[in-house]
Amino acid sequence: MAALFTTPKRNDTTAGTHVAEPDVRRRIGLAHGSRRRVTRRIVSGAVCALTVSSLLMPSVSLAAEWVKVGGNKYNTAASDEAGTWSWDGADDLKLNNYNGGEIQAAGKLNVNYSGTNIVTAEWIESINVSHGTNENAELNIQGDEGGTLSVTSTEDAILSTGNINIDGAGSVNATSTGFDAINAGGDLAIKGSGNVNATGASDGIRANGNITIDDSGAVTARATKDKGIGADKNLTIKGGGTVKASSEKDAAVEAKGSLAATNASLNVNGVEYGVYAHKGITLDHANVTVRASKGRYGGANALFTYQDDIVVKNGSTVDAFAEGEVSAAFSTRNDRPNEKGGHIYISDSVVKAIARYVENGDGPIPYSENQDGETRREPQGENIGIIAQTSEGVTPAVISIIRSKVTAEGDTAAIFVRAMSADGKTIGTIKIENAAIQTPEGGKVIDYRKLRDGIYEAGQAIGTGDATVDSLYIKAVAKTTTIAPPEVAKPEDPKPDETKPAESKPAESKQNPKPEGSKPTKAVAASTTKAKTTGVLAATGDTSGAAIVATVLAGTAAIAAGTMASRKRS
């Protein structure tokens, strides 16, 4: 089972899938790469060099040094006779029902549009702002309500070697038939109440820096070859709007920093990854739907982070589904002592996490027939609804569920957590507070322990029975589980300090006995036997917080049941 939990190498193999080293010809092909990726490296290097040099210069606010409209270059204020465009010779370029060729500038440019505007170019970017002699590039686009700006190119549709800011109540439609729809060499910010639609043959929306979407409208990003949305740093989504991202061949969303979605809706559909945030995922009062289909090596992760945590809190609703030979709906892992990660915290929210080998099937077929008619054994699939893992030297893996309804399914296991160590003393734990395991009947947190290649794997899963298990491929490990809080009469607000409970120390278990002289503590895991709830909070009678989830459930029952019927295992 080690294949699912190997350290991921992005752009090499599917996270969690072990693949043999490519042959010589394959390595040569990878070394050369595509013209697009090589060009990006060159541009990124140039941007870094210019950024460093700009830090050594006094900060000044200058205007665009020149603009080019429809192939004609201007160094002083200019406009056309029809009044479809005008430049004030400084920062501002106004468009009013413009229909023409590319727009370029050096330095800072503010594009203000009204009416219906169309910018079309071939073999050159439609809108491109580059660094000037005395000022770094900055492109600001703002439109009035009812206004549209439609930009199409065989190259990048909208490009700035510096920052890009899109604001206002209008609509921006960017389409690239060859490369990226919207590409920022610095940071990218989308705000206001307008709509942004970006469709790229490569990326839909990307930035070498941070991406911030603070928009009450709708942002849609589609990609053919690469990411729907890709940030080299952090991705922040807020403002009450809706963000949709998809890719036909890659992750729908990738942030090399963190992803934070607050008071917003996020709907993504990707290949191999739905969301891949290298430095953590935080969903705060967010409505999230994420799908991941198998990549070229058969793996799929709907929500995945490496070297940080997944946090779902404050009335969030999350529906995550992954389909592949090796798949997980929620997945986090960490094997680096100096990094955080390997923990999943769910509080006051509704979560559905499903991982399947085949969406409408019962798992892998053990044997298959090849082209020569010879029957051979197929590798067993590894499909886990919610999985957290850490290695020796880092804080043990934890899955914490507080006052939340969680439905998890996996052909291999519904919920599983483990820590790996040389001595077997480090144990991954599942903690359930003010909620109870409703299914399977007699369900509880059970221990898992296995010695593999000289390394101990110690953790927990949801299952039945009292014995410690050494395999997930047995009936004692639940393939489907429902965890929900008890009903209460009086609602209360969430307790912020309970979002991340103190779980940095391994919980007491059969493999990790309580040190001598330590004070007794109450059990954390809650279970249900014949409708009787036990656990640390239930035992004290403190059930008021569960009403928060009851309120959440009132508006999200479809997520709890939703597509379950169509994916019900026979």
Side-chain angles (χ1 to χ4, degrees), residues 37-321:
R37 298 194 183 279
V38 171
T39 301
R40 275 190 186 163
R41 293 190 183 98
I42 296 172
V43 171
S44 297
V47 169
C48 291
L50 287 169
T51 302
V52 171
S53 65
S54 68
L55 294 175
L56 302 177
M57 298 171 57
S59 177
V60 292
S61 178
L62 302 175
E65 297 176 9
W66 53 262
V67 299
K68 184 183 287 187
V69 181
N72 297 315
K73 188 175 181 179
Y74 304 92
N75 295 303
T76 59
S79 63
D80 69 341
E81 294 182 358
T84 63
W85 70 270
S86 63
W87 177 47
D88 66 355
D91 292 342
D92 296 336
L93 174 70
K94 297 185 183 299
L95 303 179
N96 184 9
N97 294 316
Y98 174 82
N99 188 347
E102 75 274 10
I103 296 171
Q104 300 184 22
K108 177 181 178 181
L109 183 67
N110 302 325
V111 177
N112 298 278
Y113 66 91
S114 58
T116 301
N117 302 272
I118 301 173
V119 184
T120 307
E122 290 187 0
W123 312 118
I124 192 171
E125 295 80 7
S126 288
I127 299 179
N128 181 7
V129 176
S130 57
H131 293 306
T133 304
N134 299 311
E135 186 176 49
N136 285 338
E138 180 181 322
L139 173 60
N140 302 308
I141 299 174
Q142 185 167 357
D144 300 331
E145 185 176 1
T148 61
L149 175 61
S150 298
V151 185
T152 304
S153 177
T154 55
E155 300 290 314
D156 289 342
I158 298 174
L159 171 67
S160 170
T161 51
N163 297 336
I164 296 178
N165 299 290
I166 300 175
D167 199 351
S171 296
V172 175
N173 306 308
T175 303
S176 170
T177 58
F179 299 115
D180 301 332
I182 301 176
N183 184 0
D187 294 335
L188 170 63
I190 299 174
K191 57 184 179 179
S193 59
N195 299 324
V196 174
N197 298 289
T199 301
S202 185
D203 293 322
I205 296 173
R206 75 169 308 277
N208 287 353
N210 299 303
I211 295 179
T212 301
I213 300 175
D214 186 359
D215 189 287
S216 60
V219 175
T220 303
R222 305 178 185 89
T224 300
K225 299 177 182 177
D226 295 317
K227 288 84 180 172
I229 300 176
D232 282 358
K233 293 185 179 178
N234 301 318
L235 172 59
T236 302
I237 301 171
K238 56 184 178 179
T242 299
V243 176
K244 296 182 179 180
S246 62
S247 176
E248 295 179 13
K249 297 181 179 179
D250 207 334
V253 173
E254 180 174 1
K256 294 184 179 178
S258 63
L259 165 67
T262 304
N263 189 31
S265 294
L266 176 62
N267 190 319
V268 305
N269 194 326
V271 176
E272 187 173 357
Y273 296 95
V275 172
Y276 183 178
H278 296 229
K279 296 294 183 179
I281 297 171
T282 300
L283 307 177
D284 186 349
H285 194 62
N287 188 342
V288 178
T289 301
V290 55
R291 297 289 182 268
S293 58
K294 67 179 180 180
R296 55 182 173 172
Y297 299 113
N301 288 278
L303 284 170
F304 176 78
T305 187
Y306 181 54
Q307 300 170 25
D308 215 305
D309 303 328
I310 297 177
V311 178
V312 181
K313 60 182 180 179
N314 292 338
S316 293
T317 60
V318 182
D319 183 348
F321 176 79

Side-chain angles (χ1 to χ4, degrees), residues 478-494:
K479 315 306 178 187
T480 300
T481 187
T482 300
I483 299 169
E487 293 183 359
V488 293
K490 181 180 177 182
E492 289 184 359
D493 292 332

